[in-house]
Amino acid sequence: MANNSQFGFQDASSPIMEELVEFHDHALMVALAICSLVLYLLTLMLMEKLSSNTVDAQEVELIWTILPAIVLILLALPSLQILYMMDEIDEPDLTLKAIGHQWYWTYEYTDFKDLTFDSYMIPTVELSPGHFRLLEVDHRVVVPMESPIRIIVTAGDVLHSWAVPTLGVKTDAIPGRLNQTSFITTRPGIFYGQCSEICGANHSYMPIVVESTPLTHFEKWSSLLSS
């Protein structure tokens, strides 16, 4: 999760988030190069006297017309690639359904029989040592590590949004509609998220906790809950 005074992203825990971080760095370097070039040209024009080269130069006009188009292509191609990767859903090993309510989440493991539970935020006065305020829940979402997970998101009352930044996942929960996305956790851990759509007075009090475990641990956990 994020730390105090952290300027960058959280550590990526899925291939999609790794691609998003790389694209962010790529776009940042392009923006830095553009800003440096503009600053250099402004300084050059302020320090030197005006001449005919700055008044009429068709070659320069041609360059600064073509160059931005090339820059936009360099930004658009990787961006479109990531968009298609985020929409691509291969054969999932597990399907999870998340239903947003005011103000808690309901999870259904559709591949198991009677594996459904509600996930509420733990009040501050009931937190155990080491737990995070406004982020810990009474029932975590447990998923197997390194397995394709498909999540179907909807809502039972108003608009919500199921978002876990370190997984690169953010899907709107709309009443009467099913949205789906997928993710793969690349390492074991506990990943925190929150509802990212203003959904009422207690919008800030419906966190999301995803726990990634090895497959053997997930099988033991699912057998205990479904029995």
Side-chain angles (χ1 to χ4, degrees):
M1 62 176 295
N3 301 317
N4 292 331
S5 303
Q6 179 176 337
F7 291 100
F9 291 102
Q10 301 180 31
D11 292 337
S13 302
S14 69
I16 290 296
M17 190 59 192
E18 292 175 0
E19 294 289 337
L20 289 173
V21 172
E22 290 183 3
F23 176 70
H24 168 268
D25 297 340
H26 168 69
L28 198 62
M29 293 305 297
V30 172
L32 180 62
I34 294 173
C35 292
S36 300
L37 178 61
V38 171
L39 181 62
Y40 169 75
L41 293 176
L42 286 175
T43 304
L44 192 65
M45 294 191 65
L46 290 174
M47 298 297 294
E48 294 189 3
K49 295 181 179 179
L50 293 177
S51 63
S52 60
N53 292 333
T54 59
V55 175
D56 184 16
Q58 294 183 355
E59 294 81 4
V60 175
E61 292 178 1
L62 184 63
I63 292 174
W64 73 39
T65 301
I66 297 177
L67 191 59
I70 297 175
V71 172
L72 290 176
I73 292 174
L74 293 177
L75 291 175
L77 291 180
S79 176
L80 291 173
Q81 181 184 9
I82 296 175
L83 285 175
Y84 279 106
M85 289 174 60
M86 295 176 69
D87 286 338
E88 183 178 354
I89 299 178
D90 295 328
E91 297 181 0
D93 293 342
L94 178 69
T95 298
L96 175 66
K97 185 178 181 181
I99 307 172
H101 303 279
Q102 289 180 312
W103 288 270
Y104 64 95
W105 293 96
T106 298
Y107 296 101
E108 299 177 2
Y109 287 76
T110 58
D111 298 309
F112 297 85
K113 184 178 180 180
D114 297 331
L115 185 48
T116 303
F117 56 85
D118 296 330
S119 180
Y120 290 87
M121 186 195 74
I122 299 178
T124 303
V125 295
E126 300 178 9
L127 285 176
S128 301
H131 285 179
F132 299 102
R133 177 178 172 269
L134 302 182
L135 288 177
E136 199 59 60
V137 296
D138 55 356
H139 293 95
R140 296 172 175 173
V141 178
V142 181
V143 297
M145 182 181 64
E146 297 180 343
S147 298
I149 309 297
R150 175 176 60 184
I151 178 165
I152 301 174
V153 183
T154 187
D157 37 43
V158 299
L159 293 176
H160 299 280
S161 183
W162 200 86
V164 182
T166 188
L167 297 178
V169 176
K170 184 178 185 296
T171 304
D172 290 337
I174 303 173
R177 176 175 176 176
L178 297 178
N179 291 331
Q180 68 173 354
T181 186
S182 64
F183 63 88
I184 301 175
T185 57
T186 55
R187 58 186 174 92
I190 300 174
F191 314 121
Y192 295 90
Q194 289 179 305
C195 176
S196 297
E197 189 75 40
I198 297 177
C199 55
N202 292 334
H203 159 67
S204 303
Y205 302 98
M206 49 184 306
I208 301 162
V209 183
V210 178
E211 183 175 352
S212 174
T213 64
L215 181 59
T216 54
H217 293 181
F218 173 77
E219 291 175 344
K220 293 179 182 178
W221 173 85
S222 59
S223 61
L224 288 175
L225 286 187
S226 58
S227 60

